[in-house]
Amino acid sequence: MKIAMGADHAGFRLKDELKSYIESLGHTVADLGCNCADSVDYPDYALAVCDQVVSGEADKGILICGTGIGMTIAANKVPGIRCALVSDLFSAKATREHNDTNVLSLGERVIGPGVAQEIVKIWLETEFSNGERHRNRINKVKALEDKYAIHP
Ligand code: RB5
């Protein structure tokens, strides 16, 4: 798979560590920055990654900031993105099986690199369960996007 990755200044170190790990699993990574500790704004990187996912240029996206919260809020504003903030292995699996998430968000200041690697591996390897009840719920989320979409 092609994985688009983005981080702010509070997440770029974990991004860089995870990048080589994800490549070692056989995936291709598009690193969309940032790449240093200079202060930047997380929505800019969330948008860059989500653009690649909704356009199909990337199969999935991974976002990292200090808490993972800002990235998650920003990513879920993009129609077609289902982004989950994950800090534990159970949620990593469940959010693929139940929510068919296409973007994963992590907090560098919250979890260590070992847990982050395990979360990423499980999240990348778990398929959507495709159960009818889960599909119905995802369709209801899509209906929310339509209801509140701004049509110029
Ligand atoms: C940056 O200081 C921090 O606010 C950001 O990385 C993130 O945690 C926001 O949700």
Side-chain angles (χ1 to χ4, degrees):
M1 279 191 285
K2 180 173 170 187
I3 313 298
M5 295 187 76
D8 72 357
H9 55 283
F12 81 97
R13 292 173 198 83
L14 181 58
K15 169 179 65 64
D16 290 348
E17 286 188 39
L18 287 175
K19 184 179 165 184
S20 42
Y21 174 67
I22 290 167
E23 286 168 343
S24 81
L25 295 176
H27 303 290
T28 304
V29 171
D31 182 350
L32 305 180
C34 74
N35 292 305
C36 74
D38 294 346
S39 185
V40 295
D41 300 328
Y42 58 80
D44 298 336
Y45 295 88
L47 178 62
V49 166
C50 292
D51 262 350
Q52 286 214 354
V53 175
V54 292
S55 72
E57 196 174 336
D59 299 293
K60 287 192 172 77
I62 296 178
L63 294 167
I64 307 165
C65 62
T67 59
I69 296 170
M71 286 292 196
T72 308
I73 292 170
N76 281 313
K77 299 291 181 194
V78 179
I81 293 297
R82 292 177 301 283
C83 174
L85 170 57
V86 174
S87 303
D88 67 278
L89 305 184
F90 177 83
S91 300
K93 187 163 184 276
T95 196
R96 284 288 309 126
E97 288 178 341
H98 292 204
N99 314 120
D100 197 17
T101 42
N102 48 14
V103 175
L104 173 70
S105 181
L106 302 170
E108 181 182 300
R109 294 172 178 165
V110 181
I111 55 171
V115 173
Q117 283 190 2
E118 289 298 307
I119 287 171
V120 164
K121 186 172 195 300
I122 289 172
W123 187 76
L124 289 175
E125 291 178 355
T126 303
E127 297 292 331
F128 177 46
S129 72
N130 210 16
E132 192 183 348
R133 69 184 192 281
H134 297 307
R135 257 185 286 117
N136 285 344
R137 291 163 187 160
I138 290 169
N139 284 337
K140 287 191 176 189
V141 173
K142 285 182 184 148
L144 290 179
E145 288 179 350
D146 292 342
K147 180 175 179 191
Y148 291 100
I150 297 164
H151 300 292

